[in-house]
Amino acid sequence: MQGLQDREAVQSLGIDIDKYFAIVFLLGSALAALGGILYGPISTVHPYMGFRVVTLCFAVVIVGGREYRGTAIASYVLGMVMALTAWFWGPAADAMIFAVMAVVLIFRPIEF
């Protein structure tokens, strides 16, 4: 985390930060490839196979904000909203997540 915040300070300690960033990138890419390889045989493989999960994660981050606690609370609340909506009206469960996100964006716009 310190390397992201103050790159020059970490480099002044003699640490090759570019090498470690490359190693972490390669490790993350390898884990993503391994996940795809393991998930492929139990599901159909197509270009949009993770799109539903990515859009739900996007909604959770927008509603919860940039803090871990807010994101955890938002994931619980949006999961409950999705479950309750599916209980009463199944086809609207996914749309309700984005309705909640729209309401949150109206009352609390994103600050950059």
Side-chain angles (χ1 to χ4, degrees):
M1 189 68 167
Q2 187 66 29
L4 292 174
Q5 293 174 354
D6 196 359
R7 187 179 183 98
E8 290 82 20
V10 173
Q11 286 179 336
S12 69
L13 295 172
I15 298 172
D16 186 13
I17 197 164
D18 292 326
K19 179 178 85 172
Y20 287 107
F21 278 168
I23 289 171
V24 169
F25 178 78
L26 287 173
L27 182 63
S29 299
L31 287 174
L34 179 65
I37 289 168
L38 293 175
Y39 187 66
I42 62 173
S43 175
T44 57
V45 178
H46 54 88
Y48 301 107
M49 61 189 284
F51 187 71
R52 183 171 185 258
V53 175
V54 170
T55 55
L56 290 175
C57 292
F58 175 72
V60 166
V61 171
I62 293 297
V63 172
R66 291 181 284 190
E67 300 174 1
Y68 293 122
R69 193 176 89 209
T71 305
I73 293 169
S75 65
Y76 178 75
V77 169
L78 289 178
M80 292 304 291
V81 165
M82 192 172 176
L84 289 174
T85 306
W87 179 272
F88 292 109
W89 189 30
D94 288 334
M96 196 60 166
I97 297 291
F98 298 105
V100 170
M101 184 177 74
V103 169
V104 167
L105 285 174
I106 289 171
F107 291 111
R108 188 189 57 149
I110 298 175
E111 298 175 8
F112 292 103

